Amino acid sequence: MYVVVSVLVVLLASSSLAQIQGELNCTAYNGTSFVYSASAVACSNVLSDQYCQVAYPSANSWLGYPEEGSSFQRPLLCFTTGTTSSSPTSKDAKTAAIAHCPKTCGLCCQTSTYSCQNAPFPRLNCASVTKAMCLSITWRQILAEDCPNFCGFCDLNGCIDLVTGCDSDVSICNAIGMQEFVNLNCRRTCGRCSVATPKPCSGR
Ligand SMILES: *[C@@H]1O[C@H](CO)[C@@H](O)[C@H](O)[C@H]1NC(C)=O
Ligand SMILES: *[C@@H]1O[C@H](CO)[C@@H](O)[C@H](O)[C@H]1NC(C)=O
């Protein structure tokens, strides 16, 4: 009897916890259920992942934490101080979650780097951008201007380094012989966004 009851309890609990409830930001309806969007988990936690998993226990330890495309409940403490997913949402709980553990909470889309509008008439379809494109030297500038919220470029105001790593040695910004390189590739780190981007040679 006890076994039957506990199986039932687990089944009931899993059916309600297996769905995202209470806080639907950073999710999209896929036709059958709400699932986490890519931008729900695109950032890093501000505090360590290890701390975040202790501070924000999984709502369903057998299913784990928010992932792109998954539909299980996020940790309750990410949005409520109550004990069920239908408890009233708490602004303080959410503010703290976004400030400290946005990835563990599946709330990256509400951090300042991901919460801005894309350009009204983007030159490419922002919905078809891939994560690899966010790192691509060919795409980064246009994405920073047109699809900033997909790549987490919202804080940059269109001023971006084309390559990653410029900030690992800022002395390159002043190095003789590096000026052409940094003016093109390290515009943000070296403060060159007001310098016009070199145009490809025309007819020479
Ligand atoms: C999304 O977040 C905002 C601000 O925290 C909140 O007011 C709103 O109710 C949330 N929307 C959903 C669908 O949960
Ligand atoms: C929607 O997401 C759920 C949970 O990840 C999945 O089981 C289901 O197959 C998805 N439905 C569609 C139409 O993609």
Side-chain angles (χ1 to χ4, degrees):
M1 184 59 192
Y2 174 75
V3 172
V4 172
V5 169
S6 15
V7 166
L8 269 181
V9 166
V10 167
L11 282 179
L12 284 176
S14 68
S15 64
S16 70
L17 289 175
Q19 286 168 33
I20 306 170
Q21 290 167 343
E23 166 61 61
L24 290 175
N25 278 296
C26 309
T27 71
Y29 193 67
N30 76 354
T32 51
S33 36
F34 284 96
V35 297
Y36 294 102
S37 58
S39 63
V41 289
C43 61
S44 300
N45 287 321
V46 175
L47 302 180
S48 73
D49 293 346
Q50 197 190 10
Y51 171 82
C52 287
Q53 297 206 353
V54 174
Y56 292 94
S58 166
N60 39 8
S61 51
W62 61 96
L63 289 175
Y65 286 92
E67 284 167 25
E68 179 181 353
S70 77
S71 67
F72 42 82
Q73 179 61 46
R74 65 181 100 230
L76 298 180
L77 277 173
C78 297
F79 62 94
T80 180
T81 53
T83 52
T84 70
S85 56
S86 51
S87 301
T89 55
S90 153
K91 199 161 168 275
D92 288 347
K94 226 183 122 177
T95 303
I98 292 168
H100 300 132
C101 299
K103 181 170 186 164
T104 294
C105 286
L107 288 172
C108 289
C109 80
Q110 299 220 296
T111 61
S112 61
T113 49
Y114 286 90
S115 56
C116 61
Q117 298 292 317
N118 288 326
F121 303 104
R123 285 163 280 183
L124 74 171
N125 178 0
C126 295
S128 63
V129 172
T130 63
K131 284 180 199 151
M133 288 164 73
C134 299
L135 294 174
S136 154
I137 189 168
T138 314
W139 288 105
R140 279 165 69 85
Q141 181 63 45
I142 196 169
L143 293 175
E145 291 169 19
D146 288 14
C147 305
N149 82 25
F150 180 83
C151 298
F153 294 159
C154 289
D155 287 340
L156 305 183
N157 200 18
C159 179
I160 193 171
D161 290 339
L162 285 192
V163 298
T164 55
C166 293
D167 53 359
S168 60
D169 176 13
V170 293
S171 73
I172 60 170
C173 296
N174 296 316
I176 297 167
M178 287 298 278
Q179 294 310 299
E180 208 178 323
F181 178 87
V182 299
N183 285 347
L184 178 63
N185 295 302
C186 301
R187 297 169 77 226
R188 180 169 194 85
T189 296
C190 298
R192 304 298 157 79
C193 286
S194 53
V195 178
T197 350
K199 295 278 178 297
C201 297
S202 47
R204 275 198 291 150

